[in-house]
Amino acid sequence: MLHPRILRSLPGFSASALSLKSSIKISKYGALKFKDSSTGRFPPTPGTSPCLRWNPKYRHTPRRVYPSVPHLRTVSTKPLPVKRGPAFRFLYRLFAYTGAFGLVTSGLVVAFFAYDASTYREDLSFSDIPVSATALNPRTGGPKNLPIAEVLVDDEDCVEMQTQKDKPKLVILGCGWGSVALLKSMNPGDYHITVVSPDNYFLFTPMLPSATVGTLELRSLAEPIRRIVQRVRGHFLKAEAVDVELSEKLLEVSQTTASGERRNFYLPYDKLIIGVGSTTNAHGVKGLENCHFLKSITDAQAIQRKILQNLEHACLPTTTDEERRRLLSFVISGGGPTGVEFAAELFDMLNEDLGRSFPKILRNEISVHVIQSRGHILNTYDEALSRYAEARFAHDQVEVLTNARVKEVQPDKIIFSQKDENGKSVTKELPMGFCLWSTGVAQTDFCKRIADKIETQTNKHALETDTHLRLSGTPLGTVYAIGDCSTVQNNVADHLVTFLRSMAWEKGKDPEQMQITFQEWRQVAQRVKKRFPQASDHLRRLDRLFEEYDKDKSGKLDFGELRELLVQIDSKLTSLPATAQRAHQQGQYLGKKLNKLALAAPGLQANEMDYGDLDDAVYKAFEYHHLGSLAYIGNAAVFDFNGLSFSGGLLAVYLWRSVYFAQSVSLRTRILLAMDWSKRALFGRGENFLPRSFS
């Protein structure tokens, strides 16, 4: 507040200003009080006035809260700020937000370069590492007198490695979906883990068709397997398993040296996990050397080169019209998810990106054909989805040839038979410049050698396992098989017959003459569900099953009636699909079970119970849960979730991408996928559709 003397000395002073000052007073709470002109007094202090006290009748009136420390407020004679217009306020906020965004962005860029600078090393990173002499010069032995890799060169790299080198040796073959899920589910330090595979990367196979035409880059689908193995402090050997000595627990491994020479050695194991995948099923068709396959990065690169080669040759002035049409005829043999998605991706690339770089006449000469042996493509999906996919292909002018079987593939044409309207088989020829073979899976040579050694392995397509994923015919708890190379054996009847015989002998009865009541049938059904979880759906109404197979209406089931019932259930159990989803679930299941076994091992050894069926005692049997199927069909997608089907256009495509984006194995691959989809939208597929060497 200004003193009266100072006010009088100011230019423009008037008596009204002095009288205004004398009529203003500041309370101890810092509030301005004005003198009442009628009474000549200042109002009482706030809080003591009756009107400012809390009154329940005036609940809407807020209670005043004053600061505990009084402060001085001055009266300014400056004019009030001028109110700006909406345009000014908009521009002001725009520049303010833009400046803030620029500052934040600049800060992030500086932070990134600071982090990038910290990743470079000037000092030398090597040091003296102890290495066992046995690792450098392994002893020889085994049936073939080969070197035995009992100790690996990195077993003493760190303290953690040294502590687990004496743990049970777990050898994992392959680095596919099952093996990676197994590695990511295991606890570090429980086992001495060694991964053996001819490829040193994990490949996201469901999106491999997108990489063949440049929608995605191949590196976006691959994750170095050593990064995954490091989490469990394991070891990796870039080699190929060729044979196994089951009696001596020795795995024969073949490795190519720097000079190109093949050398074999033995790798001992306590537990062996077989996850080597499968090969393409030829179905006895001739000329498959003229076809391309889609199982690996090498296959995808070969497809890229072939498509580009055909397009370039079709542009030459010396190419005739007939030859041009043949070069631009693309045939896909197989109407499953892989074949359908490749056909859709190929058509999208040819339709959307071809005209940007190639003569427009090529677009008019292109033809895409899908040959399917069944009545519909995507025959494992809901029929409505199959028909939707066929209608979508018809709209895109992709020819679908159903009820057709390929007889022979020649370098310039494909010969196939197709049923006409009368059901008669007619042989046809189709000129082609490219053929993709995608018609099922078959056993690898390694799996065939194992099956030949075990008499109980009678399946010609995959290795048979029990419900605990243990390889049938091998010692319990030593060899497991997961993924496409295996199939779960559903021998419900044989297992229960053995159980009933043992139960009859315990009661001193003849198994053939034994009869069970409904209560005993309930106990049998519970055992079936525990041992074979996939049979649970067929054992929901036990009373109806009991009544149906009680032929003589005696209220009991004899041995023959019970066996007939179980055989009927066994026949309804279908083989699990050879998909990434199934392999992933098996890997997760096996990883969790191995963790349980490692945790229970000390107690079992202390009680001398480290033999017998430990898997069944420690963990439940494997149960497959089908989470649904999905497929891309050319700027559209179809979904089949346990009977709930859904199909649509671009919104479904974004949902399809989101599902696979979430299933990607690492943050690195997710970022690369997002970048690839963005590049396709901005620049087309040309940026990614350049074959690159991949190692």
Side-chain angles (χ1 to χ4, degrees):
M1 295 293 289
L2 297 178
H3 196 271
R5 292 179 181 178
I6 301 176
L7 288 174
R8 292 190 184 97
S9 64
L10 293 177
F13 167 77
S14 62
S16 60
L18 182 60
S19 62
L20 175 64
K21 188 266 175 187
S22 60
S23 62
I24 298 176
K25 181 180 179 181
I26 300 178
S27 71
K28 66 177 181 178
Y29 297 106
L32 294 177
K33 299 195 297 181
F34 296 90
K35 182 183 295 185
D36 191 347
S37 58
S38 61
T39 61
R41 298 180 180 180
F42 289 97
T45 303
T48 61
S49 175
C51 65
L52 294 178
R53 292 175 182 174
W54 176 254
N55 192 338
K57 296 182 179 180
Y58 305 100
R59 297 181 180 180
H60 62 279
T61 305
R63 181 190 297 269
R64 292 188 179 182
V65 179
Y66 297 95
S68 58
V69 180
H71 61 279
L72 185 64
R73 295 185 180 181
T74 60
V75 177
S76 175
T77 59
K78 294 181 180 181
L80 294 175
V82 180
K83 187 176 181 180
R84 307 294 183 179
F88 177 84
R89 292 198 301 271
F90 172 76
L91 292 176
Y92 178 82
R93 292 174 181 174
L94 175 63
F95 286 116
Y97 293 150
T98 304
F101 175 77
L103 289 175
V104 173
T105 304
S106 302
L108 292 176
V109 171
V110 172
F112 171 78
F113 279 106
Y115 169 76
D116 181 69
S118 67
T119 59
Y120 298 98
R121 301 186 60 174
E122 294 289 343
D123 59 320
L124 299 179
S125 59
F126 66 87
S127 59
D128 294 335
I129 300 295
V131 180
S132 173
T134 307
L136 299 176
N137 298 291
R139 69 177 182 89
T140 59
K144 299 181 181 179
N145 197 29
L146 297 175
I148 302 177
E150 297 173 315
V151 182
L152 301 179
V153 293
D154 53 348
D155 270 337
E156 300 184 8
D157 274 4
C158 58
V159 178
E160 291 80 5
M161 290 285 196
Q162 295 174 5
T163 56
Q164 67 182 23
K165 67 179 182 179
D166 295 326
K167 294 292 182 70
K169 296 183 182 298
L170 176 65
V171 177
I172 303 173
L173 303 183
C175 54
W177 282 91
S179 301
V180 169
L182 169 65
L183 290 169
K184 297 181 75 172
S185 301
M186 296 196 63
N187 298 328
D190 288 346
Y191 295 89
H192 180 277
I193 301 176
T194 304
V195 179
V196 179
S197 175
D199 300 321
N200 59 357
Y201 56 85
F202 163 76
L203 182 62
F204 196 88
T205 50
M207 302 205 74
L208 196 55
S210 299
T212 59
V213 297
T215 305
L216 301 175
E217 288 195 42
L218 290 172
R219 64 173 183 166
S220 304
L221 306 180
E223 180 73 9
I225 192 65
R226 289 186 181 273
R227 293 185 181 178
I228 303 174
V229 173
Q230 284 176 355
R231 193 192 71 84
V232 292
R233 299 192 291 271
H235 314 268
F236 175 76
L237 298 177
K238 193 174 186 298
E240 182 181 3
V242 294
D243 204 353
V244 61
E245 300 296 336
L246 297 173
S247 59
E248 301 187 31
K249 292 186 177 181
L250 293 175
L251 175 70
E252 185 179 350
V253 178
S254 178
Q255 192 173 27
T256 304
T257 63
S259 60
E261 180 185 359
R262 301 288 295 184
R263 291 183 181 177
N264 292 11
F265 61 93
Y266 284 129
L267 188 65
Y269 67 87
D270 293 308
K271 293 183 180 295
L272 177 65
I273 314 296
I274 303 175
V276 295
S278 58
T279 60
T280 304
N281 195 340
H283 294 287
V285 177
K286 299 179 181 179
L288 290 190
E289 63 274 7
N290 300 313
C291 296
H292 289 265
F293 307 98
L294 193 53
K295 300 284 288 185
S296 65
I297 283 182
T298 305
D299 296 336
Q301 289 176 325
I303 291 174
Q304 281 188 356
R305 288 192 293 267
K306 182 62 175 177
I307 294 175
L308 277 178
Q309 178 183 346
N310 286 11
L311 294 176
E312 295 293 350
H313 287 175
C315 297
L316 297 177
T318 56
T319 304
T320 62
D321 291 341
E322 182 181 357
E323 179 67 8
R324 184 181 296 108
R325 285 191 293 270
R326 185 191 69 80
L327 289 172
L328 300 179
S329 175
F330 300 91
V331 178
I332 296 93
S333 180
T338 301
V340 167
E341 289 186 347
F342 175 78
E345 292 280 2
L346 177 64
F347 175 81
D348 288 345
M349 187 273 294
L350 297 175
N351 185 56
E352 298 172 2
D353 299 275
L354 188 64
R356 299 182 181 182
S357 306
F358 289 88
K360 291 182 170 40
I361 189 176
L362 267 62
R363 177 62 189 89
N364 298 334
E365 301 290 346
I366 284 174
S367 61
V368 180
H369 315 269
V370 178
I371 299 178
Q372 167 70 334
S373 60
R374 303 294 181 89
H376 297 281
I377 59 174
L378 300 177
N379 59 288
T380 58
Y381 290 54
D382 186 82
E383 185 176 356
L385 297 180
S386 299
R387 295 188 181 277
Y388 177 82
E390 291 173 356
R392 186 76 187 190
F393 276 1
H395 173 269
D396 294 339
Q397 296 181 352
V398 175
E399 185 180 15
V400 178
L401 303 170
T402 56
N403 297 317
R405 292 185 176 274
V406 177
K407 291 185 174 180
E408 184 180 358
V409 181
Q410 298 182 2
D412 59 346
K413 62 183 177 181
I414 185 169
I415 303 174
F416 64 98
S417 62
Q418 186 179 21
K419 294 181 179 180
D420 57 11
E421 298 177 354
N422 300 324
K424 184 179 179 181
S425 181
V426 180
T427 302
K428 299 180 181 179
E429 294 183 359
L430 183 63
M432 62 89 182
F434 171 89
C435 180
L436 176 71
W437 189 264
S438 176
T439 58
V441 297
Q443 273 187 324
T444 61
D445 294 337
F446 175 73
C447 292
K448 290 179 181 178
R449 294 191 192 100
I450 295 179
D452 293 340
K453 291 185 176 184
I454 305 174
E455 295 181 358
T456 57
Q457 292 290 335
T458 58
N459 195 313
K460 300 299 181 182
H461 302 286
L463 296 174
E464 292 183 345
T465 68
D466 62 7
T467 53
H468 282 274
L469 306 185
R470 297 172 296 193
L471 188 65
S472 301
T474 60
L476 292 177
T478 58
V479 184
Y480 301 82
I482 57 177
D484 295 353
C485 68
S486 66
T487 181
V488 178
Q489 193 177 27
N490 295 318
N491 54 347
V492 181
D494 294 340
H495 174 78
L496 263 298
V497 166
T498 304
F499 166 70
L500 290 176
R501 285 175 177 171
S502 62
M503 186 173 67
W505 290 332
E506 291 176 358
K507 295 182 178 181
K509 298 181 180 180
D510 184 6
E512 302 293 339
Q513 303 297 327
M514 183 179 176
Q515 295 182 338
I516 63 172
T517 62
F518 179 74
Q519 190 63 28
E520 292 173 331
W521 160 238
R522 291 173 61 91
Q523 298 176 2
V524 171
Q526 290 298 325
R527 183 181 178 93
V528 173
K529 293 180 182 179
K530 180 180 178 181
R531 186 71 176 182
F532 304 94
Q534 301 301 131
S536 300
D537 293 339
H538 304 284
L539 291 173
R540 292 180 176 177
R541 294 302 305 268
L542 300 180
D543 52 346
R544 292 184 180 179
L545 288 173
F546 189 90
E547 182 180 357
E548 179 181 355
Y549 285 89
D550 185 12
K551 305 293 184 181
D552 54 2
K553 306 300 179 183
S554 61
K556 295 182 179 180
L557 293 179
D558 57 27
F559 189 84
E561 293 171 340
L562 182 60
R563 182 180 178 85
E564 183 181 354
L565 187 156
L566 296 176
V567 168
Q568 183 66 20
I569 293 176
D570 203 355
S571 64
K572 294 180 181 179
L573 298 180
T574 58
S575 299
L576 300 180
T579 59
Q581 181 183 160
R582 168 243 186 150
H584 181 77
Q585 292 187 23
Q586 288 182 330
Q588 285 184 326
Y589 161 82
L590 195 54
K592 294 177 182 178
K593 182 166 68 173
L594 292 176
N595 292 337
K596 291 282 188 179
L597 288 172
L599 184 63
L604 294 175
Q605 292 177 358
N607 294 293
E608 298 182 354
M609 298 175 59
D610 53 344
Y611 60 90
D613 194 352
L614 299 181
D615 294 69
D616 190 44
V618 171
Y619 208 63
K620 59 184 179 181
F622 171 72
E623 182 177 3
Y624 173 71
H625 299 279
H626 186 63
L627 303 179
S629 304
L630 61 163
Y632 176 78
I633 56 174
N635 295 334
V638 295
F639 300 83
D640 188 2
F641 296 124
N642 295 327
L644 299 176
S645 58
F646 169 75
S647 59
L650 289 179
L651 290 179
V653 172
Y654 293 139
L655 178 59
W656 173 79
R657 288 181 179 179
S658 301
V659 172
Y660 283 146
F661 182 84
Q663 290 182 347
S664 191
V665 71
S666 67
L667 176 63
R668 167 189 163 273
T669 54
R670 292 189 183 98
I671 294 175
L672 291 177
L673 285 175
M675 293 173 60
D676 287 345
W677 284 324
S678 301
K679 285 192 297 183
R680 187 217 67 83
L682 295 174
F683 311 110
R685 295 175 175 83
E687 290 293 320
N688 298 333
F689 195 57
L690 296 175
R692 296 176 173 87
S693 60
F694 195 95
S695 60

